[in-house]
Amino acid sequence: MATWLLDLARNALSDANVTLVMETLTRLDVRVDRLRLAGNRCEGPGLSAITEYVWNCQEALFELDLEDNEVTANPKAPGAVSGSDAVSALLRCLYNHACYPRPAVGSRVGAKVVPLLLRMSGNRICHPKRLLKEIQAKSGKKHMRVCPSLDPYTPDEEEYLSVCLPDFTKQRPVEDKSSRKTRRTSEVKAELVAAVPEKPGKRPVLLTAAAALVAPAGPETAQAANSQAVAGQKRQRSGSRARSRRRRRRSGSEPVAAAGADNGSGPSKEGAAVPAEASTGHPPEGAEEPRETQEPSCSDEESEAQDTSTPLGPAVLGEEAQRELQSGVCERLRSIEGLPSEDSTCEMLSEFVVCMVIARKSPADIELELSAFLGNQAKSLTEWVMKTVEARIAAAVQ
């Protein structure tokens, strides 16, 4: 008997990608026997879309492979409601679906059944044994069976759910937010490299620059990347020193530098007059103690200069704001000439920008990262992103 297989394993599919695939299969009434989505980035929303497809499918699946995704569930989490997670929803769907458990091939109805092969190891499900116990307690042990193999069997009682869950207890630890951001940024960089096609006879600048971020670089590439990094660090240091000097001058606490001194921080030349306050750290005798004054605010020009090297304030961008920012970046990327017009490339690069904003990268760092992909266009895009984020932060504060 022929079976229909849809294998989309290890394609870095996100929740949005998985949802689009499932909606398309449902709309076109495409029925598959084996659905393999292992090694992607499917989380709760993606699994919910898969559950909806299974529910609308009029034939039973033989296999559903969701290994090594990002599905989470924690029955012991504070405030967790039993059965509210996406894994429980999938098993509940199978329990209520009229086509499960699937009768064995060649056997009469009600004789032997074959469990569904459901692979969910390598996700981020906490306390998987506890989760199964709760599901079995709700469905009733007589009506649900977790089988050790796919061998057909004769059910003892009327069963509504029969699954084989190989290595279900082998799950990955749940990531904290910072680890997840770091991993996601690295994944997006790698995906950007893979998404940019190489033209015959000419290697695009975008691909060359992007590959330098993740691939082993040769001497010339490494030297160029190092030069960019050093230049960025010098700009940051010089900008920070200039702002510090301006603040000290305005508050009256910076001594007048001797002529020819190195940025006012090196030793003064021989014979140069040094104020008593600068040499002793105290004001001269009889002089009035300087009053503590609030640091004056910078002008608009100085604020713009600060934006190029100072990190963002506390992140106040919610999920909706992040999606809006990613959508706006994606639209601007589509208008840039020379960038591949594929939606996947724009989406990955816009997601990379949002990841850097959430990680509180400084504008200078963001521009430096984007310059490897966008060249001279990186500065204008970074300025637009910063203005958008600042407007969002100002609105949230008000």
Side-chain angles (χ1 to χ4, degrees):
M1 175 179 158
T3 59
W4 295 96
L5 166 67
L6 177 59
D7 190 349
L8 296 174
R10 290 165 184 81
N11 276 291
L13 300 181
S14 64
D15 276 339
N17 302 139
V18 172
T19 300
L20 181 60
V21 171
M22 295 301 106
E23 289 176 349
T24 304
L25 293 178
T26 302
R27 186 177 70 255
L28 300 178
D29 194 22
V30 178
R31 304 175 186 181
V32 298
D33 300 312
R34 302 182 187 277
L35 179 58
R36 294 177 181 170
L37 294 166
N40 288 295
R41 300 197 312 271
C42 178
E43 301 182 33
L47 183 54
S48 297
I50 295 170
T51 301
E52 186 174 353
Y53 167 74
V54 171
W55 178 253
N56 291 316
C57 192
Q58 299 302 314
E59 297 178 4
L61 291 175
F62 294 178
E63 175 186 357
L64 178 56
D65 189 356
L66 296 171
E67 285 184 342
D68 302 325
N69 276 275
E70 302 295 329
V71 177
T72 60
N74 186 0
K76 291 186 178 181
V81 179
S82 178
S84 61
D85 58 276
V87 179
S88 299
L90 173 61
L91 294 176
R92 193 162 52 245
C93 165
L94 297 171
Y95 179 90
N96 291 309
H97 202 295
C99 294
Y100 298 93
R102 179 173 57 87
V105 177
S107 65
R108 60 184 178 84
V109 177
K112 289 188 175 183
V113 296
V114 179
L116 167 69
L117 177 57
L118 179 58
R119 300 183 185 274
M120 294 204 68
S121 63
N123 281 275
R124 302 189 186 276
I125 301 172
C126 299
H127 312 290
K129 290 183 179 180
R130 171 74 174 270
L131 182 64
L132 282 180
K133 283 183 179 180
E134 290 185 357
I135 295 171
Q136 284 181 320
K138 284 194 169 185
S139 61
K141 291 185 178 180
K142 294 182 178 180
H143 302 305
M144 174 182 175
R145 179 183 294 201
V146 179
C147 303
S149 67
L150 293 176
D151 297 332
Y153 69 94
T154 302
D156 296 332
E157 300 286 341
E158 188 176 6
E159 292 181 357
Y160 301 115
L161 176 59
S162 177
V163 292
C164 177
L165 290 163
D167 299 324
F168 182 68
T169 57
K170 296 180 180 179
Q171 301 290 333
R172 290 180 292 163
V174 178
E175 290 181 312
D176 57 18
K177 290 185 178 180
S178 60
S179 301
R180 186 176 180 183
K181 288 173 186 174
T182 302
R183 176 182 58 79
R184 187 70 197 109
T185 302
S186 301
E187 288 177 353
V188 173
K189 282 185 179 181
E191 290 164 13
L192 284 169
V193 175
V196 181
E198 183 173 352
K199 297 179 181 179
K202 182 180 180 182
R203 195 175 189 187
V205 176
L206 178 63
L207 178 60
T208 307
L213 295 174
V214 294
E220 295 180 359
T221 307
Q223 184 177 0
N226 185 56
S227 299
Q228 287 184 351
V230 170
Q233 292 173 359
K234 285 183 177 179
R235 285 197 301 270
Q236 289 185 7
R237 287 196 295 267
S238 61
S240 178
R241 286 197 297 266
R243 287 191 300 277
S244 297
R245 288 196 298 273
R246 282 197 297 270
R247 284 196 293 267
R248 288 198 296 269
R249 282 199 297 270
R250 292 193 176 196
S251 61
S253 61
E254 182 185 31
V256 179
D262 183 16
N263 294 329
S265 59
S268 58
K269 290 186 179 180
E270 245 182 87
V274 180
E277 182 178 355
S279 60
T280 64
H282 301 284
E285 205 168 348
E288 185 180 354
E289 285 270 4
R291 296 179 180 177
E292 290 184 9
T293 57
Q294 185 178 0
E295 184 178 305
S297 59
C298 298
S299 62
D300 293 339
E301 292 80 8
E302 291 169 354
S303 298
E304 291 178 2
Q306 285 185 358
D307 287 342
T308 62
S309 57
T310 56
L312 295 171
V316 295
L317 296 181
E319 292 185 2
E320 183 64 28
Q322 293 175 25
R323 285 192 291 269
E324 291 178 1
L325 177 61
Q326 183 172 341
S327 176
V329 173
C330 196
E331 289 298 324
R332 293 185 71 88
L333 288 173
R334 289 193 180 99
S335 64
I336 296 178
E337 296 182 0
L339 187 70
S341 58
E342 289 85 356
D343 289 341
S344 58
T345 303
C346 292
E347 288 174 2
M348 284 187 289
L349 190 51
S350 61
E351 184 179 356
F352 180 41
V353 173
V354 175
C355 285
M356 289 192 290
V357 171
I358 296 173
R360 300 180 65 185
K361 292 273 190 181
S362 69
D365 289 338
I366 295 176
E367 181 181 344
L368 187 61
E369 292 278 8
L370 292 179
S371 63
F373 300 99
L374 306 178
N376 296 331
Q377 300 286 346
K379 183 176 181 180
S380 60
L381 179 62
T382 303
E383 290 176 350
W384 179 85
V385 169
M386 290 302 102
K387 289 180 180 177
T388 304
V389 172
E390 286 170 0
R392 174 69 65 171
I393 292 175
V397 171
Q398 292 176 356

